[in-house]
Amino acid sequence: MLSNSFLRSEFASTFLFHKLTRKVSLPASVLEELRDYYAYRKKERDMLGDAWNGRDQEGREWHFIFCHPDGSPFHHERPYLWFRQFIQKNNMRYIRFHDLRHTSATLLINQGIHANIIFERLGHGNITTTMNIYGNALQSADQAAADTLDSLFSKKAKAQK
């Protein structure tokens, strides 16, 4: 069984990207789903016994959460192909798998999350990259902030009368 700290710090939150490691916090609900899925996969692995193929050439075990039923790793295109099939099956407008990253960033901006946090989550080389890509969304969020301030001032002015 994976400990909570292992799930939080090692398994669920560390991603390798161009030889850089960064930690990204995940929602508690996602961590719980991953714990449940890991337990399910562990049972599958135990039932397969010697047929489980989750080892490298030196015999070291892999512990991939997302892999073929026999434990062998997916081809790097597999998540994209599944996503494309999901979109087609559910009659959704096509977007690239990578566009989920942009969707996430835009949703965070619209929820008022600071650009520096988004820059760190995305792993951009510098915040200028984030600002250049998401500048329009950030401007919309800035206008929403101005509107919020305006409503606060308007309420305060009305209360003083």
Side-chain angles (χ1 to χ4, degrees), residues 141-160:
D142 182 52
Q143 183 59 52
D147 294 344
T148 299
L149 285 173
D150 187 43
S151 70
L152 290 173
F153 294 141
S154 298
K155 289 177 186 175
K156 189 172 183 178
K158 287 179 185 176
Q160 287 179 351

Side-chain angles (χ1 to χ4, degrees), residues 3-14 23-26 31 35:
S3 70
N4 288 350
S5 62
F6 176 77
L7 275 171
R8 205 173 296 114
S9 63
E10 300 300 324
F11 158 68
S13 302
T14 304
K23 294 192 183 244
V24 178
S25 298
L26 295 175
L31 289 174
R35 279 187 204 97

Side-chain angles (χ1 to χ4, degrees), residues 53-123:
N53 190 27
R55 293 180 183 82
D56 65 12
Q57 292 177 345
E58 287 81 37
R60 295 176 296 212
E61 288 191 2
W62 294 315
H63 292 283
F64 296 123
I65 298 298
F66 304 105
C67 58
H68 291 288
D70 70 350
S72 59
F74 286 142
H75 184 271
H76 67 277
E77 288 281 321
R78 178 57 47 200
Y80 160 74
L81 295 173
W82 278 347
F83 180 68
R84 188 177 68 184
Q85 288 172 352
F86 175 83
I87 287 175
Q88 289 171 347
K89 179 181 171 184
N90 291 286
N91 297 318
M92 299 171 78
R93 183 177 62 87
Y94 174 77
I95 62 170
R96 298 170 303 155
F97 188 72
H98 182 80
D99 292 336
L100 293 173
R101 175 180 165 92
H102 298 303
T103 301
S104 172
T106 304
L107 289 171
L108 292 172
I109 289 166
N110 289 333
Q111 290 298 310
I113 304 300
H114 194 279
N116 196 52
I117 300 297
I118 297 166
F119 143 73
E120 289 174 1
R121 288 183 69 86
L122 295 174

Side-chain angles (χ1 to χ4, degrees), residues 124-139:
H124 288 153
N126 59 55
I127 198 163
T128 305
T129 302
T130 307
M131 300 301 280
N132 287 340
I133 295 171
Y134 301 104
N136 288 338
L138 287 163
Q139 288 172 356

